[in-house]
């Protein structure tokens, strides 16, 4: 509804002027009705009429009412009455009335202005409050306001949905039941730290939802204090961070795993412009061994091992970056002390930039060494360090391909130590391990550089004697191995033992079979050597089956 002092803004000018004239006429009639003409007080009813006219009709109609009132009072109620001849006493009264008119008009106008401003302010506040409430209700974050004793004053819809309760059942209750009991000491401790100097604290704690599920929440608590520093109320804005916590836990786990593999998990970051470092972090200095500030403005060529590596990366990486891609590679780079390190490097072009790029550097030297160790363990026997069955399969395939390509012979020798078990039983497993390691070491020294010695397990070994020109050539190589095995081995103390070996051999391409079959034939020949009395060499031949000693 419109207030009275707003009507003149809604009425048209003719209506307002007619109303002003009507107010004047009413005032004139009232003056005649209330007092005799000669009683004095000529302006008695015209002052209220003027005020009402200014208030209801505005400035122009108010001036009209004042002018008509001044003329009527001067001519009708100032002696001599009913005449407009000059009157000294009347002139003063009229001027007083007109001056009062000006003051009253000014005051009324100011009051109306102030009233309008107040209405505008109130309307703006109301709209702001409605907008604020709408924002609060539309938020996905939970919002709760509570007093110093924990009594809830307000909650939004998100809070009600999360905890499965209506707003009416929550308002006036304590907030404590929604928090996980084990986290209450932490929550109270953080809330007690609120003060006028520190009015905001962020707390991450567990909550119990309406379904009884325990989830993680992050709450930004903003406290409001009075002038004396007493807590009035606290507003807590919360969000569900359960998934974020899972991600953080996973990242923490990955970080620990990386720390187990890498001596240094810090990531170097550098902003590069025209292949010059314009900014870098502390980790960058640590990785490359520079003092703080040494790399500022330095060309990135300083970090590369040579010009060719520097040019190659520029030719490959920067076209990818300009196509808004991400370039990543691993390469050798150079520390300040000229030590080479393996670095995982990745770069991306900065948004809205044509020449600025951001690069990340991770020292993966320990990881590379770890990978080498893992590969060595995967393809080598842990006791002797010889190639194991997996690497044997690869070496055998390569040896067969080479033999076919060069038209050479390949001897596959299956070797088993004689009387190893009694030594292991009598002197212990440590002595047996020492014998195996010494035997493996001797065999490696006895073969040629292009030959392979593998341990399959226990006291069984396989020799690949490759690139043989004739059948007799393997005799010499194998004899060196047998003599090395037969030599006495010194165990702990003064104990000395001697072992022999039984060897089965098959020759490719005379035995033209696949790798698994060749190994099986050599194994069968080895068992024939065992049956023949041990310390023997038996050549597998599907046609002749000839034994050799």
């Amino acid at each position: 509804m419109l207030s009275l002092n707003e009507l003149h803004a809604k009425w048209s000018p003719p209506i307002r002027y007619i109303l002003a004239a009507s107010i004047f006429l009413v005032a004139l009639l009232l003056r005649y009705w209330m007092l005799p003409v000669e009683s004095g007080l000529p302006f008695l009813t015209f002052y209220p009429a003027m005020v009402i006219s200014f208030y209801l009709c505005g400035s122009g109609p108010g001036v009209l009412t004042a002018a008509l009132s001044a003329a009527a009072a001067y001519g009708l109620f100032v002696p001599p009455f009913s005449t407009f001849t000059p009157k000294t006493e009347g002139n003063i009264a009229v001027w007083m009335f007109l001056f009062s008119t000006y003051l009253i008009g000014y005051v009324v106008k100011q009051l109306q202005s102030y009233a309008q401003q107040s209405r505008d302010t109130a309307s703006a506040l109301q709209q702001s409050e409605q907008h604020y409430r709408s924002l609060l209700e539309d938020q996905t974050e939970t919002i709760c306001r509570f007093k110093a004793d924990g009594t809830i004053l307000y909650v939004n819809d998100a809070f009600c949905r999360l905890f499965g309760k209506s707003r009416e059942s929550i308002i006036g209750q304590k907030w404590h039941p929604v928090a996980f009991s084990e986290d209450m000491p932490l929550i109270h401790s953080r809330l007690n730290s609120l003060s006028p100097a520190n009015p905001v604290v962020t707390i991450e704690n567990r909550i119990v939802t309406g379904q009884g599920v325990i989830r993680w929440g992050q709450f930004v608590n903003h406290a409001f204090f009075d002038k004396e520093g007493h807590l009035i109320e606290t507003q807590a804005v919360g969000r569900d961070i359960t998934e974020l916590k899972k991600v953080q836990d996973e990242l923490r786990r990955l970080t620990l795993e990386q720390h187990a593999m890498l001596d240094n998990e810090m990531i170097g970051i550098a902003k590069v412009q025209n292949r010059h470092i314009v900014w870098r972090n502390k980790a960058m200095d640590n990785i490359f061994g520079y003092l703080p500030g040494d790399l500022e403005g330095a060309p990135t060529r300083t970090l590369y091992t040579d010009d060719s590596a520097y040019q190659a990366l520029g030719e490959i990486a920067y076209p990818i970056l300009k196509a808004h891609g991400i370039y990543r590679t691993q390469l050798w780079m150079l520390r300040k002390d000229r030590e080479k390190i393996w670095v995982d490097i990745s770069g991306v072009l900065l948004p809205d930039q044509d020449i600025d790029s951001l690069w990340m550097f991770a020292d993966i030297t320990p990881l590379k060494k770890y990978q080498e160790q893992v590969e060595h363990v995967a393809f080598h026997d842990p006791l002797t360090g010889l190639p194991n069955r997996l690497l044997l399969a690869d070496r055998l395939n390569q040896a067969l391909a080479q033999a076919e390509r060069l038209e050479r012979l390949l001897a596959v020798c299956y070797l088993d130590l004689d009387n190893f078990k009694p030594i292991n039983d009598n002197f212990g497993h440590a002595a047996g391990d020492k014998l195996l390691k010494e035997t493996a070491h001797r065999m490696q020294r006895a073969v040629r550089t292009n030959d392979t010695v593998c341990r399959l397990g226990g006291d069984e070994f396989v020799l690949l004697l490759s690139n043989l020109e004739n059948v007799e050539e393997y005799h010499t190589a194998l004899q060196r191995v047998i003599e090395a095995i037969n030599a006495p081995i010194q165990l702990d103390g003064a104990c000395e033992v001697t072992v022999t070996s039984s060897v089965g051999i098959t020759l490719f391409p005379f035995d033209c079979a696949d790798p698994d079959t060749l190994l099986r034939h050599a194994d069968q020949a080895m068992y024939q050597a065992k049956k023949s009395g041990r310390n023997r060499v038996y050549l597998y031949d599907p046609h002749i089956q000839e034994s050799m000693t």
Side-chain angles (χ1 to χ4, degrees):
M1 295 180 62
L2 296 174
S3 60
L4 291 176
N5 63 344
E6 291 178 290
L7 292 176
H8 70 274
K10 300 298 180 180
W11 289 336
S12 63
I15 293 177
R16 288 189 285 121
Y17 279 98
I18 292 173
L19 179 60
S22 300
I23 293 171
F24 160 72
L25 292 175
V26 171
L28 180 62
L29 293 175
L30 285 174
R31 176 64 183 82
Y32 276 116
W33 178 73
M34 292 176 62
L35 294 172
V37 172
E38 65 277 3
S39 64
L41 301 176
F43 296 96
L44 177 65
T45 58
F46 296 116
Y47 275 106
M50 176 185 58
V51 173
I52 294 172
S53 184
F54 271 111
Y55 188 76
L56 294 181
C57 304
S59 299
V63 171
L64 174 63
T65 301
L68 293 174
S69 298
Y74 181 82
L76 300 177
F77 302 107
V78 174
F81 304 108
S82 302
T83 178
F84 289 92
T85 60
K87 308 170 184 178
T88 303
E89 181 181 352
N91 290 337
I92 296 174
V94 168
W95 284 111
M96 290 288 292
F97 178 77
L98 293 176
F99 181 71
S100 299
T101 298
Y102 169 77
L103 291 178
I104 291 172
Y106 177 78
V107 170
V108 169
K109 186 174 182 63
Q110 292 300 313
L111 289 175
Q112 289 178 332
S113 176
Y114 294 150
Q116 184 62 42
Q117 291 178 6
S118 298
R119 288 192 299 273
D120 293 343
T121 301
S123 176
L125 287 174
Q126 184 179 12
Q127 292 179 358
S128 177
E129 182 179 0
Q130 292 175 350
H131 182 64
Y132 174 70
R133 286 187 174 274
S134 175
L135 288 177
L136 292 183
E137 298 305 330
D138 291 342
Q139 290 296 314
T140 56
E141 289 85 358
T142 64
I143 300 176
C144 174
R145 296 204 314 267
F146 54 89
K147 296 193 294 187
D149 63 355
T151 302
I152 296 176
L153 301 173
Y154 168 81
V155 293
N156 67 344
D157 288 343
F159 188 97
C160 298
R161 289 194 300 269
L162 178 62
F163 295 104
K165 296 181 179 180
S166 65
R167 183 179 281 106
E168 292 74 17
S169 65
I170 297 174
I171 302 298
Q173 303 298 317
K174 306 289 186 180
W175 58 262
H176 307 88
V178 303
F180 190 58
S181 58
E182 294 180 7
D183 293 344
M184 289 301 296
L186 167 67
I187 299 172
H188 284 308
S189 174
R190 297 302 305 279
L191 289 179
N192 289 337
S193 68
L194 289 168
S195 66
N198 181 37
V200 179
V201 295
T202 300
I203 306 174
E204 292 184 0
N205 59 271
R206 287 165 291 181
I207 55 176
V208 182
T209 67
Q211 293 76 32
V213 179
I214 298 175
R215 299 186 69 82
W216 275 96
Q218 183 187 70
F219 299 91
V220 179
N221 298 274
H222 192 155
F224 299 90
F225 297 86
D226 58 20
K227 294 181 179 180
E228 287 73 29
H230 299 130
L231 179 62
I232 302 174
E233 68 176 58
T234 304
Q235 177 174 283
V237 179
R239 61 191 182 101
D240 189 333
I241 59 169
T242 305
E243 298 305 320
L244 177 61
K245 277 287 185 181
K246 292 179 180 179
V247 172
Q248 289 175 342
D249 291 341
E250 181 66 14
L251 289 175
R252 192 177 297 111
R253 184 186 68 81
L254 292 175
T255 300
L256 291 176
E257 289 181 357
Q258 288 179 344
H259 183 71
M261 294 185 292
L262 303 175
D263 293 330
N264 185 352
E265 65 182 14
M266 293 183 294
I267 304 298
I269 303 175
K271 182 180 179 182
V272 176
Q273 186 178 91
N274 292 326
R275 306 201 77 177
H276 281 71
I277 300 172
V278 296
W279 176 86
R280 86 280 171 267
N281 66 350
K282 187 182 297 184
M284 188 78 175
D285 296 331
N286 295 336
I287 291 174
F288 291 97
Y290 285 88
L291 295 175
D294 285 354
L295 287 175
E296 203 79 29
T300 55
R301 168 64 184 87
T302 309
L303 308 177
Y304 291 85
T305 55
D306 51 43
D307 290 336
S308 60
Y310 171 75
Q311 294 171 358
L313 186 134
E315 293 172 358
I316 298 173
Y318 281 92
I320 296 176
L321 297 185
K322 289 181 179 179
H324 303 289
I326 298 176
Y327 179 77
R328 182 175 182 180
T329 188
Q330 295 177 354
L331 72 163
W332 283 107
M333 300 195 82
L334 208 60
R335 286 172 49 89
K336 184 179 181 180
D337 57 8
R338 313 307 294 171
E339 177 189 357
K340 288 184 179 181
I341 57 173
W342 269 105
V343 176
D344 187 304
I345 177 174
S346 60
V348 62
L349 199 66
L350 292 176
D352 302 323
Q353 298 288 336
D354 293 329
I355 58 176
D356 289 355
S357 55
L358 195 68
W359 293 84
M360 300 178 66
F361 301 82
D363 183 356
I364 59 170
T365 306
L367 178 59
K368 283 291 186 179
K369 292 180 179 179
Y370 177 78
Q371 289 176 343
E372 292 174 0
Q373 293 172 358
V374 170
E375 291 176 359
H376 188 272
V377 169
F379 293 103
H380 291 80
D381 174 52
L383 177 64
T384 63
L386 294 177
N388 60 12
R389 190 182 296 272
L390 289 175
L391 189 54
L392 170 63
D394 180 68
R395 296 279 180 88
L396 182 53
N397 282 322
Q398 293 183 27
L400 287 172
Q402 183 186 48
E404 281 190 292
R405 186 173 65 255
L406 301 179
E407 297 183 351
R408 298 292 180 93
L409 304 181
L410 169 65
V412 180
C413 310
Y414 207 108
L415 185 149
D416 183 89
L417 298 182
D418 299 326
N419 299 318
F420 171 74
K421 188 176 184 302
I423 296 175
N424 204 36
D425 293 340
N426 294 332
F427 298 99
H429 292 290
D433 289 346
K434 183 175 182 179
L435 185 146
L436 289 173
K437 288 191 286 186
E438 178 61 24
T439 301
H441 182 61
R442 291 181 180 184
M443 293 171 67
Q444 279 187 304
R445 288 186 301 175
V447 298
R448 302 166 302 171
T449 56
N450 59 321
D451 296 330
T452 299
V453 181
C454 301
R455 182 187 177 216
L456 300 184
D459 59 349
E460 294 183 344
F461 298 85
V462 170
L463 305 180
L464 300 180
L465 306 178
S466 58
N467 201 26
L468 302 174
E469 294 185 0
N470 51 63
V471 175
E472 291 76 15
E473 188 175 350
Y474 81 88
H475 288 175
T476 304
L478 187 58
Q479 187 62 35
R480 286 197 306 270
V481 174
I482 293 174
E483 290 175 356
I485 294 174
N486 292 345
I489 297 176
Q490 188 77 30
L491 299 180
D492 294 338
C495 180
E496 186 177 85
V497 297
T498 302
V499 293
T500 59
S501 61
S502 298
V503 184
I505 306 172
T506 186
L507 289 174
F508 178 87
F510 301 124
D511 184 4
C512 188
D514 59 85
D516 290 339
T517 304
L518 287 174
L519 285 174
R520 188 170 65 253
H521 289 170
D523 187 22
Q524 293 172 0
M526 183 272 291
Y527 276 104
Q528 290 297 325
K530 286 276 190 183
K531 290 180 181 180
S532 300
R534 302 187 180 184
N535 192 22
R536 297 174 184 274
V537 176
Y538 192 92
L539 175 63
Y540 177 86
D541 191 325
H543 304 294
I544 303 176
Q545 293 292 322
E546 179 182 35
S547 65
M548 301 174 59
T549 60

